[in-house]
Amino acid sequence: MENNQKIVFETEDGSEEFYVLEQTMLGGVNYILVTDDVDSDEGSFLILKETKASEGDFASYEIPEDDNEIRSVVSIFNELLEDMDLEV
């Protein structure tokens, strides 16, 4: 997935647009780091975990809930994005 590519997520409340900052795999699971504002240094980010696709060719994503999993993925993203310092 190309960095800073805009993707649209379909949610129960409609749709939301995010920019992909980076992606990685941990334990065979794909994770993406997204933000809703690529122009701000102080913007917030989300880590999304790919889950099994529910229908067709579309992937499903959810926010990981396990603190150890989140810390591990943040550590990887901090290494990949040397100019950023992500905090949980």
Side-chain angles (χ1 to χ4, degrees), residues 41-59:
D41 290 338
E42 300 298 319
S44 61
F45 66 91
L46 286 174
I47 293 174
L48 299 174
K49 175 181 179 177
E50 187 174 339
T51 60
K52 295 189 188 268
S54 58
E55 58 184 64
D57 295 330
F58 296 104

Side-chain angles (χ1 to χ4, degrees), residues 12-77:
E12 294 175 358
D13 300 329
S15 62
E16 294 185 49
E17 294 181 349
F18 291 100
Y19 294 91
V20 177
L21 299 175
E22 189 60 79
Q23 72 175 26
T24 192
M25 289 196 80
L26 177 64
V29 177
N30 189 40
Y31 295 86
I32 57 175
L33 178 67
V34 299
T35 184
D36 58 355
D37 184 3
V38 292
D39 296 324
S40 172
D41 290 338
E42 300 298 319
S44 61
F45 66 91
L46 286 174
I47 293 174
L48 299 174
K49 175 181 179 177
E50 187 174 339
T51 60
K52 295 189 188 268
S54 58
E55 58 184 64
D57 295 330
F58 296 104
S60 294
Y61 289 88
E62 62 184 33
I63 298 171
E65 295 182 13
D66 180 85
D67 289 340
N68 291 328
E69 177 183 21
I70 293 169
R71 279 192 286 277
S72 296
V73 174
V74 165
S75 176
I76 294 170
F77 282 135

Side-chain angles (χ1 to χ4, degrees), residues 70-86:
I70 293 169
R71 279 192 286 277
S72 296
V73 174
V74 165
S75 176
I76 294 170
F77 282 135
N78 276 328
E79 288 181 28
L80 293 171
L81 298 167
E82 296 172 358
D83 58 336
M84 294 180 73
D85 185 25
L86 306 176

